[in-house]
Amino acid sequence: MTAYLDNSATTKPCKECTDAVCRMLSENWGNPSSLHNLGIHAMKEIVTARTVIADSLGADKEEIIFTSGATEANNIAVFGAAKAKKRLGNRIVTTAIEHESVLQSAQELEKQGFEVIYLKPDKFGNISENQIIEAVNSSTILVSIMYINNEVGSILPVRSIQRAVKKANAPALIHIDCVQAYGKIPINAKKLGADLISISAHKVHGPKGIGALYINKSANLTNQNFARVFGGEQERKIRPGTENAPLIAGFAAAVKNIDLSSVQKQKIKELNAYAKSRLSEIKGLTFNSGENASDYIINVYVPTFMRSQTILQELSANYGIFVSNGSACAKGKKSHVLTAMNLDNEILDKSIRISFCRNNTKEDIDLLADALKDLIKKHPRS
Ligand code: PMP
């Protein structure tokens, strides 16, 4: 028996997704830019997929650019916004717990002379509305804040960004990294007041290597500002290169399968509560995720002498359980999220992230809880 509990790193592609990818590769493989029938047929699939993704965000299809994933979408958004608005101000507001693709883009812009404010979270990874309001001033040109943190699941007050920008009369664009929220809670670009939204297919049972950036039409942003790669006319010249039609079709197939029903919401809520109650049986285990975090992510400190990397390798090798130590992209480096939360070194070294998807069951949780108990018994904290 195995239990896959690392769904914030990636999810298993659903059958509809793999079918769509295979169908495109074997039957609909034309270049979408070709003017003959094969090209037209492939382009049709992209147009349909773009509409599916746009609908899922309450957007128009002209507002969706396909990218190689959210890392690229975040890079285009942050650098694009800075370039588009640099004559109007110098300040960028973000948080210390963003994904590396936002953080490192912001750090690069800092080197280029921008002032970047990294809002600090509390000990559960929460950022308050007030912090955002206080940080945004009239020279702020970009506010880039994630919706749900990928390591601890904290839900950030992204709806307040628009209020903060209006209050300060700032020329800022609003970028929201919705990777961990998309497919889990309803996201409506207009209601969020976002100019830019990043999403990734492989977190919603789609393929890896494909994502999308929503660019609000009324923000009037052009490829002059937002292009990071130069080439053909594809993706409105913002992200040129022959479109990855198979992955785009797979992305749309997965999105059609997203379940935002109250039944699904309740199922994950119950799974989360069950996990917390089973994990609480473990003496000395503490929760790094707060009470109000997303039900999909639980980050815990494991009381053992082993470091998190060894814990997860043991769980994988000896118990068939797959979890992670924070972000998969960070590959074993100390978590910048837990560090920003000001947690002790002991916790930084020995925490793991458990993350769910619609396929998980209580049996997965039982497997994990029993394995952790066994592991701690064998390797106590000393
Ligand atoms: N943002 C967040 C919040 C993420 O969790 C991830 C994936 N770990 C990314 C961005 C990057 O997405 P991708 O893997 O598609 O590049």
Side-chain angles (χ1 to χ4, degrees), residues 152 269-282 285 287-300 354 356 365:
V152 294
K269 201 179 165 71
E270 281 169 19
L271 204 64
N272 178 289
Y274 185 68
K276 281 187 179 144
S277 98
R278 288 281 349 247
L279 293 168
S280 298
E281 293 167 8
I282 300 172
L285 178 144
F287 294 93
N288 301 321
S289 300
E291 286 290 317
N292 50 359
S294 162
D295 286 331
Y296 283 85
I297 298 176
I298 304 180
N299 194 305
V300 294
I354 302 148
F356 307 125
I365 311 283

Side-chain angles (χ1 to χ4, degrees), residues 8-10 67-74 97-102 146-151 177-181 198-203 207-212 327-329 353:
S8 288
T10 200
T67 64
S68 65
T71 294
E72 187 183 24
N74 282 346
I97 57 169
E98 295 303 308
H99 187 261
E100 289 290 352
S101 52
V102 167
M146 65 191 348
Y147 204 153
I148 293 180
N149 179 266
N150 50 311
E151 291 194 35
D177 175 344
C178 284
V179 169
Q180 298 291 344
S198 309
I199 55 173
S200 178
H202 72 107
K203 313 285 183 175
K208 278 162 259 308
I210 189 80
S327 166
C329 311
R353 176 186 68 184

Side-chain angles (χ1 to χ4, degrees), residues 70-81:
T71 294
E72 187 183 24
N74 282 346
N75 272 264
I76 296 174
V78 173
F79 285 103

Side-chain angles (χ1 to χ4, degrees), residues 95-156:
T95 79
I97 57 169
E98 295 303 308
H99 187 261
E100 289 290 352
S101 52
V102 167
L103 276 183
Q104 290 184 29
S105 299
Q107 285 156 8
E108 181 56 34
L109 287 170
E110 227 175 347
K111 283 188 207 150
Q112 295 175 20
F114 288 90
E115 176 199 17
V116 183
I117 309 294
Y118 300 94
L119 300 176
K120 285 258 182 311
D122 70 7
K123 66 179 195 307
F124 291 116
N126 294 311
I127 302 274
S128 73
E129 176 174 342
N130 255 349
Q131 281 178 281
I132 300 175
I133 290 175
E134 278 168 22
V136 176
N137 66 10
S138 62
S139 63
T140 304
I141 52 153
L142 168 67
V143 183
S144 177
I145 295 183
M146 65 191 348
Y147 204 153
I148 293 180
N149 179 266
N150 50 311
E151 291 194 35
V152 294
S154 51
I155 303 174
L156 281 67

